[in-house]
Amino acid sequence: MNTTKVKAYSATSATSPLAATTIARREPTPSDVRIEILYCGVCHSDLHFARNEWNFTQYPAVPGHEIIGRVTAVGSGVKKFKVGELVGVGCLVDSCRTCPDCRDGFEQFCTSMVMTYGSVDKHLGGGTLGGYSQGIVVTEDFVLRIPANLNPAAAAPLLCAGITTYSPLRHWKIGAGQKVGIVGLGGLGHMGVKFARAFGAHVVLFTTSPGKTADALRLGAHEVVVSKDEKQMAAQAGSFDFILDAVSAQHDINAYLNLLKRDGNLTLVGAPNEPLPVAAFPLIFRRRSFSGSLIGGLPETQEMLDFCGQHNITSDIELIRMDQINEAYERMLKSDVKYRFVIDMASLK
Ligand SMILES: [Zn+2]
Ligand SMILES: [Zn+2]
């Protein structure tokens, strides 16, 4: 298969820093879109993947699944996109298209989904290579339209952090008259606050850092609860319709289950490495439920982007150069970012 070379940043082992390299992209097939990447968000998953912390990384590894770019070529059969359009690519670049999940538009649950990085590349062999690169070629069905009024750099994190928080809020039908908790004010949590507020809910942000209060209120929270303060937590008991938990570290989940009303739900979108102990009584006594959620399918991701266009919602970002990525990872580990790093891919030229 014919390929084109593009510049990229890759890790060559679990312990090596990311460094400049050149990778191959396929020539567009009739259904493919070639995209010049303008911006790529930096997700915590990128770091886990680069360092093989989930034990499936093939090297060289090119992370990046919050991609914003411009269409530079389309295959002969492409109907949805034209050269010059602003587009996005999220966590998925393909799926089986035929299973019940794919038919229902839930490609994120397809057991044959092809992730933007870390899956097997059906066209070129080896692993799929992500957005820390100048260009990517993706089948048109997995390319998303980006509303023209959004700042393209700040729109990049919508492709993972945005849909990860939008999807469960929609699934649990969050709206006016409901009280919603968001646990953790990071890349995911700050988007959860924005969406819950835009959906009309009363939004309470839970944080371990009292220093985040002013920012949480600015981002749209109506109240901020310092979760280490037992009095503040007790005052919220039994009052929530829904809680979105975006914390990826070990924490006391039962303290939050106790804050739900009868039939309330707590959905986990953070991914702690160790199992969380869940007590039975908080669930049984108020018929509460505890569940999870994973990004979103292609139809819902486009719906989320269109919603962001209508409501002018983007991520709060810190724009970095490609060669600052290793430093950005160290800062991300310390939660020292407000609230998402985005790489300006012009810096890779
Ligand atoms: Zn991600
Ligand atoms: Zn499928």
Side-chain angles (χ1 to χ4, degrees):
M1 186 167 214
N2 288 333
T3 59
T4 311
K5 299 266 187 232
V6 297
K7 288 184 187 170
Y9 252 56
S10 75
T12 51
S13 78
T15 53
S16 66
L18 289 153
T21 186
T22 302
I23 59 170
R25 296 297 192 188
R26 67 180 181 268
E27 284 300 312
T29 69
S31 63
D32 280 338
V33 173
R34 193 209 300 275
I35 299 162
E36 178 200 358
I37 300 176
L38 303 175
Y39 300 101
C40 186
V42 179
C43 175
H44 215 106
S45 303
D46 298 356
L47 185 156
H48 289 300
F49 173 68
R51 299 182 179 180
N52 196 23
E53 290 169 357
W54 290 332
N55 293 311
F56 68 81
T57 307
Q58 292 186 55
Y59 293 96
V62 178
H65 60 202
E66 294 181 338
I67 298 168
I68 297 281
R70 212 164 277 289
V71 176
T72 54
V74 295
S76 56
V78 168
K79 294 196 177 65
K80 295 184 210 159
F81 298 98
K82 290 194 197 77
V83 170
E85 275 187 287
L86 192 66
V87 294
V89 177
C91 303
L92 304 174
V93 289
D94 209 346
S95 69
C96 85
R97 323 280 186 108
T98 57
C99 75
D101 293 318
C102 285
R103 286 204 304 267
D104 291 343
F106 296 120
E107 296 87 352
Q108 77 272 34
F109 302 125
C110 174
T111 52
S112 304
M113 67 174 168
V114 181
M115 295 183 296
T116 303
Y117 57 80
S119 286
V120 173
D121 187 325
K122 286 188 265 189
H123 302 267
L124 301 180
T128 51
L129 304 173
Y132 295 5
S133 60
Q134 288 178 312
I136 191 166
V137 176
V138 180
T139 183
E140 69 167 330
D141 291 339
F142 284 72
V143 177
L144 297 142
R145 217 172 285 285
I146 303 299
N149 60 308
L150 298 179
N151 170 343
L158 299 176
L159 277 315
C160 175
I163 187 61
T164 297
T165 50
Y166 180 95
S167 181
L169 290 165
R170 280 296 194 218
H171 178 76
W172 292 93
K173 301 185 168 52
I174 298 314
Q178 291 187 314
K179 187 171 172 185
V180 169
I182 307 289
V183 186
L185 192 67
L188 294 175
H190 95 288
M191 290 310 305
V193 168
K194 291 184 184 201
F195 284 131
R197 178 70 187 243
F199 295 168
H202 181 84
V203 183
V204 181
L205 186 275
F206 293 93
T207 178
T208 53
S209 343
K212 287 189 174 176
T213 301
D215 239 17
L217 297 173
R218 177 184 63 80
L219 292 164
H222 295 92
E223 295 177 57
V224 176
V225 171
V226 177
S227 55
K228 288 178 196 157
D229 184 330
E230 283 178 27
K231 262 195 193 149
Q232 285 189 37
M233 290 292 276
Q236 302 282 344
S239 68
F240 283 85
D241 296 281
F242 180 78
I243 296 177
L244 186 70
D245 186 338
V247 176
S248 290
Q250 192 62 232
H251 59 293
D252 181 10
I253 204 81
N254 304 301
Y256 292 102
L257 290 173
N258 278 317
L259 303 187
L260 294 170
K261 287 180 185 168
R262 184 194 74 226
D263 292 322
N265 171 270
L266 185 150
T267 291
L268 203 59
V269 288
N273 282 336
E274 297 294 317
L276 294 169
V278 177
F281 285 154
L283 295 177
I284 292 171
F285 269 79
R286 306 288 293 162
R287 199 164 58 192
R288 294 157 171 145
S289 62
F290 176 42
S291 56
S293 186
L294 176 72
I295 48 174
L298 271 293
E300 192 176 47
T301 305
Q302 188 62 62
E303 175 194 306
M304 178 271 309
L305 290 165
D306 295 343
F307 181 87
C308 288
Q310 284 151 20
H311 296 264
N312 217 1
I313 294 174
T314 52
S315 180
D316 284 33
I317 65 160
E318 195 173 323
L319 200 61
I320 60 168
R321 296 188 313 270
M322 188 70 255
D323 64 9
Q324 293 175 296
I325 187 66
N326 296 302
E327 182 196 329
Y329 277 6
E330 293 312 312
R331 286 185 49 198
M332 192 162 60
L333 284 171
K334 292 183 279 188
S335 302
D336 175 22
V337 51
K338 286 182 175 176
Y339 281 89
R340 202 69 149 178
F341 289 114
V342 173
I343 305 160
D344 180 356
M345 218 45 79
S347 65
L348 188 54
K349 280 180 180 149

